[in-house]
């Protein structure tokens, strides 16, 4: 696979492409799961549209092959991050959690939006989890992931998950409740 990204990228995005994304693309399922949260971090850059679209496509391809059991295992794995990447990301002026869900919602592929919002509902930052929960209400088959957040350690996230899950249940169908 040849990866073509924007030539206007900065040093932090280059690090993301050359370490995080490269490791995600070139390894087995176990390693991909380890890098998944750092791959989603590209949505924290407000000017990395090409990288975000390509990451979304790659994440969607990977997630479509996971069993439901592995989806729920992601909760444990997803919060572990690459410390070297974390320090680069946090030092970058152009990276911020406030962009993550906003940029996910700009994706062209609706299923990719849903899938990445599900991953964002497991994000280490409570504000990202809460925002993703509020956006997941509009997507079918999101109820199991909303219910996972009912046990969140942040009160506001738990409350948001409860309200959103109840709304989703009232709009849902039997198939989603049995998912």
């Amino acid at each position: 696979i040849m990866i073509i990204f924007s030539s206007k990228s900065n040093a932090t995005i280059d690090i993301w492409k050359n370490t995080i994304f490269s490791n995600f693309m070139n390894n087995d399922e176990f390693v991909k799961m380890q890098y998944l949260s750092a791959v989603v971090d590209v949505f924290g850059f407000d000017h990395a549209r090409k990288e975000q679209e390509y990451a979304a496509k790659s994440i969607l391809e990977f997630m479509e092959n996971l069993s439901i059991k592995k989806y729920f295992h992601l909760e444990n794995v997803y919060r572990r991050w690459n410390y070297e990447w974390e320090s680069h990301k946090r030092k970058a002026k152009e990276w911020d959690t406030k962009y993550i869900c906003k940029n996910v919602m700009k994706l062209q592929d609706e299923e990719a939006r849903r899938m990445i919002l599900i991953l964002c509902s497991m994000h280490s930052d409570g504000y990202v989890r809460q925002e993703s929960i509020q956006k997941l209400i509009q997507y079918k088959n999101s109820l199991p992931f909303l219910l996972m957040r009912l046990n969140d350690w942040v009160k506001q996230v738990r409350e948001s998950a409860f309200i959103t899950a109840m709304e989703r249940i009232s709009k849902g169908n039997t198939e989603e409740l049995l998912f």
Side-chain angles (χ1 to χ4, degrees):
I1 295 177
M2 183 175 179
I3 304 171
I4 301 173
F5 290 113
S6 171
S7 61
K8 297 179 182 178
S9 64
N10 64 30
T12 310
I13 293 174
D14 286 341
I15 291 167
W16 177 86
K17 288 186 286 194
N18 295 324
T19 59
I20 303 301
F21 194 70
S22 176
N23 282 320
F24 178 78
M25 293 301 292
N26 296 315
N27 280 294
D28 63 15
E29 181 180 287
F30 177 78
V31 175
K32 285 182 186 245
M33 288 179 77
Q34 302 300 314
Y35 278 92
L36 195 54
S37 66
V39 171
V40 171
D41 279 341
V42 76
F43 292 93
F45 294 99
D46 202 31
H47 64 284
R49 296 300 310 140
K50 285 184 181 181
E51 291 85 355
Q52 291 164 1
E53 289 290 340
Y54 199 82
K57 181 180 180 237
S58 301
I59 290 167
L60 187 58
E61 287 173 7
F62 172 66
M63 297 297 289
E64 285 175 338
N65 296 319
L66 289 185
S67 68
I68 192 68
K69 183 178 179 181
K70 288 187 180 175
Y71 268 82
F72 292 108
H73 177 64
L74 280 174
E75 177 72 21
N76 298 325
V77 175
Y78 191 77
R79 290 177 198 265
R80 297 180 202 147
W81 58 81
N82 179 308
Y83 289 104
E84 183 180 337
W85 164 242
E86 186 70 14
S87 65
H88 283 290
K89 175 181 76 175
R90 295 290 177 185
K91 288 181 202 171
K93 293 177 190 172
E94 67 279 355
W95 189 91
D96 199 316
T97 56
K98 71 182 177 186
Y99 298 129
I100 293 175
C101 289
K102 178 181 128 189
N103 286 328
V104 169
M105 296 308 289
K106 291 178 184 177
L107 291 171
Q108 298 299 316
D109 185 324
E110 185 174 345
E111 182 57 20
R113 281 195 309 263
R114 183 185 79 86
M115 186 61 59
I116 296 171
L117 286 172
I118 287 168
L119 293 174
C120 287
S121 75
M122 300 175 203
H123 196 276
S124 60
D125 186 287
Y127 293 109
V128 175
R129 290 194 309 276
Q130 186 169 3
E131 187 176 355
S132 66
I133 287 165
Q134 293 166 346
K135 294 186 181 319
L136 274 172
I137 191 171
Q138 61 189 301
Y139 295 97
K140 285 179 129 181
N141 299 325
S142 62
L143 183 60
F145 306 99
L146 296 172
L147 295 174
M148 284 175 64
R149 297 282 44 96
L150 293 176
N151 195 30
D152 200 279
W153 56 91
V154 176
K155 180 182 176 186
Q156 294 86 344
V157 175
R158 279 193 314 270
E159 290 172 351
S160 183
F162 178 78
I163 292 166
T164 307
M166 293 302 110
E167 285 183 52
R168 188 73 212 141
I169 288 169
S170 70
K171 292 178 182 179
N173 58 36
T174 308
E175 181 180 313
E176 184 171 20
L177 292 172
L178 298 174
F179 179 67

